[in-house]
Amino acid sequence: MSNVSVGLKYKVSDKNWKISSGVLFSANSIKTNEDLVVSSTGINSSTILPYITIGSSHNKWYYFGNIGYGYMNNDYSDYFKATIEVGYNVIPKGHLMLVLDTRNPVTKEDAFINDNVQWASHLDRQAYNAFGLKANYEFVKDKFGANFSTFGAFGIDNSPLAPTINLGVYTKL
């Protein structure tokens, strides 16, 4: 488990190219115990990530991009975050996507040195470039859906070296 996140997204334009902006807040929800080797369950920082997205579709294809800037507290380094997706509608209400996800630090803060109780997969100055495969299915059109993804990365620095497996559920308000 990691930090708990909640976000809001606002539709700016609903023309041929869809544009939205939003903010994601990840709360510092870790628990530390200096007597244990594994002393935390998340990053020892809260993060505010404002972002903008742009996307479009043509026939069964869709294209999506997301760019944002993560402001972190507790002496953690701020970071630049970007995602690019290309998807294809393989079945009704279902898409298969190829994804490039990248995160790179912008500032060099002191949490990298000062946080000696932090577990190795939650270090400061995390950087990666990850390729992934993602599947999405919308159970109720424009209302409720779920997605599954798996990623492998290169250019990794201070991030876990194992591939990730992700499961998400969403609702559109």
Side-chain angles (χ1 to χ4, degrees), residues 39-52:
S39 59
S40 69
T41 58
I43 294 174
N44 191 12
S45 171
S46 292
T47 306
I48 297 174
L49 177 72
Y51 62 90
I52 188 163

Side-chain angles (χ1 to χ4, degrees), residues 96-114:
L96 189 60
M97 295 143 292
L98 292 175
V99 183
L100 170 63
D101 186 26
T102 183
R103 173 182 165 149
N104 292 287
V106 176
T107 60
K108 285 190 169 184
E109 300 298 337
D110 294 329
F112 187 80
I113 299 162
N114 295 338

Side-chain angles (χ1 to χ4, degrees), residues 11-115:
K11 183 175 14 176
V12 176
S13 174
D14 199 16
K15 306 271 193 247
N16 190 23
W17 283 90
K18 315 297 189 222
I19 301 171
S20 64
S21 65
V23 64
L24 181 68
F25 175 73
S26 294
N28 183 350
S29 57
I30 74 165
K31 298 209 183 309
T32 60
N33 182 339
E34 293 185 17
D35 296 330
L36 297 175
V37 173
V38 178
S39 59
S40 69
T41 58
I43 294 174
N44 191 12
S45 171
S46 292
T47 306
I48 297 174
L49 177 72
Y51 62 90
I52 188 163
T53 62
I54 185 167
S56 187
S57 62
H58 181 71
N59 295 328
K60 291 188 168 202
W61 291 93
Y62 92 91
Y63 322 96
F64 169 83
N66 178 320
I67 188 169
Y69 188 93
Y71 297 94
M72 299 184 81
N73 69 357
N74 212 13
D75 289 330
Y76 272 70
S77 302
D78 293 350
Y79 61 90
F80 170 77
K81 180 95 169 85
T83 305
I84 298 170
E85 271 183 27
V86 175
Y88 187 77
N89 183 223
V90 292
I91 59 172
K93 300 193 282 182
H95 287 85
L96 189 60
M97 295 143 292
L98 292 175
V99 183
L100 170 63
D101 186 26
T102 183
R103 173 182 165 149
N104 292 287
V106 176
T107 60
K108 285 190 169 184
E109 300 298 337
D110 294 329
F112 187 80
I113 299 162
N114 295 338
D115 198 348

